[in-house]
Amino acid sequence: MNSLKNKVVVVTGASRGIGAEIAKLFGREQAKVVITGRNRKRLTQKEENQNCLAVISDISKKSGMKKIITLARKTFGRIDIFVNNAGVGINKPMIKISEKEFDLIYDTNLKSVFYSFKELLPIMKKQKSGHIINISSMASRIGVPGISTYASSKAALNALSEGVANEVRRDNIKISVLAPASTDTNMMSNMSGESKSPSKAKNKLTVTEVAESVIYLAKQNQNAWTSMTHLRPLAIKK
Ligand code: NAP
């Protein structure tokens, strides 16, 4: 297992939900953590010490991704691990979803990762190391009505990641995909239309469970490509 102490880690979409927890757990491992999001207030509240940098930025824009990577390197000198976590989901059947909504989902969930690859791969190649961890979704593997656009953006993310992993394996760059099942966050309650309540949350993953999987991936001395699905263990009724 690799130590994460002093590793430079970037987590996109760290202003709340899964990303905030991922950043917190990397902080506990004594990594240097760059947290990103668009909401200045929520993000800067989480900028705890000199080993943490908050970057306000829209990752669906090429300039937004460039800003994050430039500031992370300017502050900490390198990037060891980059977690593409920021994402959006809209629950609407195909007949109702607009082109604008389709573009928003694809620009946020897929094009942002393309921008990150274009910026990061030359840097990591020069460093002769790097790990990019992309947060997909179990929805990418099953046909759930109402979220076909979201699910297809994540399925494309899986394919993009696996292909790129095979392109860069000789450069000691690793690409991982983590596909969690339903997780108790704002996105989940917005997409399912359910209120965030303790009883509804019972069947969902917690943000900590998902973040622990990311830490597990980051610590592994694994091959160039890892794809992992994180499911909630089924509760056994007695
Ligand atoms: P969330 O609570 O809605 O948080 C989303 C995060 O992404 C926020 O920090 C938000 O920050 C950021 N974000 C969204 N659009 C952005 C943009 N254009 N530029 C910069 N930041 C942006 O969602 P979550 O449930 O934690 O989801 C995190 C990831 O896990 C997503 O990729 C999602 O698809 C995936 N996932 C979630 C579930 C689930 O059930 N919750 C299951 C499987 C996979 P700002 O608002 O500050 O910009």
Side-chain angles (χ1 to χ4, degrees), residues 43-164:
L43 202 65
T44 46
Q45 276 168 354
K46 296 183 189 304
E47 198 181 29
E48 282 163 354
N49 54 44
Q50 71 207 36
N51 278 338
C52 183
L53 170 74
V55 180
I56 318 300
S57 175
D58 181 348
I59 48 96
S60 67
K61 307 261 182 327
K62 191 176 176 177
S63 57
M65 186 55 79
K66 201 178 170 68
K67 178 181 173 187
I68 294 168
I69 291 166
T70 306
L71 286 178
R73 292 180 78 215
K74 204 170 154 195
T75 310
F76 295 124
R78 55 184 289 119
I79 295 176
D80 297 300
I81 299 169
F82 194 97
V83 186
N84 277 307
N85 163 79
V88 288
I90 297 171
N91 187 341
K92 268 189 191 176
M94 187 47 62
I95 207 153
K96 290 215 173 126
I97 202 147
S98 67
E99 188 175 347
K100 206 171 159 196
E101 289 168 328
F102 185 96
D103 286 345
L104 172 72
I105 292 172
Y106 266 73
D107 286 351
T108 312
N109 298 357
L110 186 66
K111 195 109 188 253
S112 66
V113 179
F114 164 74
Y115 295 141
S116 78
F117 281 148
K118 294 297 283 179
E119 290 289 330
L120 287 168
L121 295 180
I123 294 167
M124 291 181 166
K125 196 172 169 171
K126 242 190 216 161
Q127 289 179 177
K128 296 191 171 61
S129 72
H131 191 174
I132 301 170
I133 302 176
N134 295 331
I135 307 301
S136 178
S137 167
M138 204 187 77
S140 65
R141 311 200 201 279
I142 45 176
V144 185
I147 58 166
S148 54
T149 305
Y150 170 78
S152 67
S153 72
K154 295 294 190 177
L157 172 64
N158 299 347
L160 184 78
S161 305
E162 187 168 8
V164 172

Side-chain angles (χ1 to χ4, degrees), residues 200-228:
K200 295 276 193 293
K202 228 169 48 188
N203 298 321
K204 298 188 170 63
L205 291 167
T206 65
V207 290
T208 308
E209 285 172 313
V210 178
E212 280 169 350
S213 290
V214 173
I215 298 292
Y216 168 83
L217 283 171
K219 282 185 171 178
Q220 293 308 300
N221 230 334
Q222 81 271 53
N223 298 326
W225 164 244
T226 308
S227 171
M228 198 164 107

